[in-house]
Amino acid sequence: MLQDEAVDALLEQARFLADQLSYAFDTPSGVPVNDIFTQNTTVSNTTTNGLAVTGTLVLEWTRLSDLLGDASYGALAQRAESYLLNPQPVENEPWPGLVGTDIYIENGTFADNVGGWNGGTDSFYEYLIKMYVYDRDRFATYKDRWIAAADSSIAHLTSSPSSRPDLAFLAAYSGQNLSLESGHLACFDGGNFILGGTVLDERKYIDFGLKLTEACRATYASTATHIGPESFSWNTTLLATPPYMNQTAFFEENGFFITSPDYVLRPEVIESYYYAYRVTKDPMYREWAWEAFQAIDQTTRANSGFSSVSDVNAPGGGNKTDQQESFLFAEVLKYSYLIFAEVSHCPKCVGVLFPG
């Protein structure tokens, strides 16, 4: 009884929070405003919102509606999502399923054709397949859009460094012009392709996801701390310009060079290790996760917490920057635990997609 009461109390708090936030959707199109000020129920005067921001609300708000038996919360997020599923104008969808980064709040049209699987766009693609996993009857269209994006990414964004043709990253794009750059945030892509391939019983996505995971692992294995940097590139023309001129040898050996050396306690690489292990049962991925966890613990531990660091390729990670993001607990530690969890110990944690 006490447990039921606790769940009810948490659910009521979730409803209360949603009620406080829901006025963000009160726009002409229904695309929410990103920055709101709850003390006086106002919003910022920005004219656009991002793809990732708009595209990640749909799962949480739909789930809240389902738990409460009140469709209004999910309807808000699904209305905003509808513009992402049917992108306009057509020139801002450079390839099928791959869209721009910013959406006009006024009318739901895309403001640009710049994108990729990187920060600012990443979790829109991630949640397409997760919405289908959540409810395959209601959200089949989300699956179709994920397949379109995944196929276009394999066909058009796959890029291997000239010094390491064995590695494969997903490039960013502006229109149909590629930018040979990526980052830690994008390294969820391996796990997402593996998840999609598992759900759809399509081996090509699993194999491609494993290849992406391997490439992101290289960004960890190559640095002094054995933690991957915030952003990196394999565009060799940049190696002739400051401040990258001293990284030519590093690029030749490792297949990338560092463009932002900090680490802010991001989870994405370990997240992909988790999916890779659950599908393959190969203990190598557990070893990689343990190596990553040890490196993070040794490099970022600060008294009773953890701190982001300034340079993953410097001894000790350079300087601690006195910032501990919540996703350390929500994701880094979660995936570090789940990859070792056995189904019999925590069936709901591991999930029905990956039986033991």
Side-chain angles (χ1 to χ4, degrees), residues 113-145:
N113 58 10
V114 176
W117 290 66
N118 300 308
T121 59
D122 47 3
S123 45
F124 163 67
Y125 301 106
E126 175 186 4
Y127 277 47
L128 288 176
I129 194 65
K130 288 185 175 180
M131 285 298 288
Y132 177 66
V133 171
Y134 179 67
D135 191 320
R136 301 187 185 199
D137 294 326
R138 282 190 288 170
F139 301 113
T141 299
Y142 290 62
K143 174 204 67 175
D144 296 338
R145 292 298 293 179

Side-chain angles (χ1 to χ4, degrees), residues 133-167:
V133 171
Y134 179 67
D135 191 320
R136 301 187 185 199
D137 294 326
R138 282 190 288 170
F139 301 113
T141 299
Y142 290 62
K143 174 204 67 175
D144 296 338
R145 292 298 293 179
W146 185 87
I147 290 173
D151 288 344
S152 290
S153 297
I154 294 172
H156 302 294
L157 304 186
T158 306
S159 178
S160 294
S162 58
S163 63
R164 289 288 303 276
D166 57 308
L167 301 180

Side-chain angles (χ1 to χ4, degrees), residues 32-34 49-58 120 123:
V33 179
N34 188 57
N49 203 345
L51 180 69
V53 174
T54 308
T56 54
L57 298 174
V58 66
S123 45

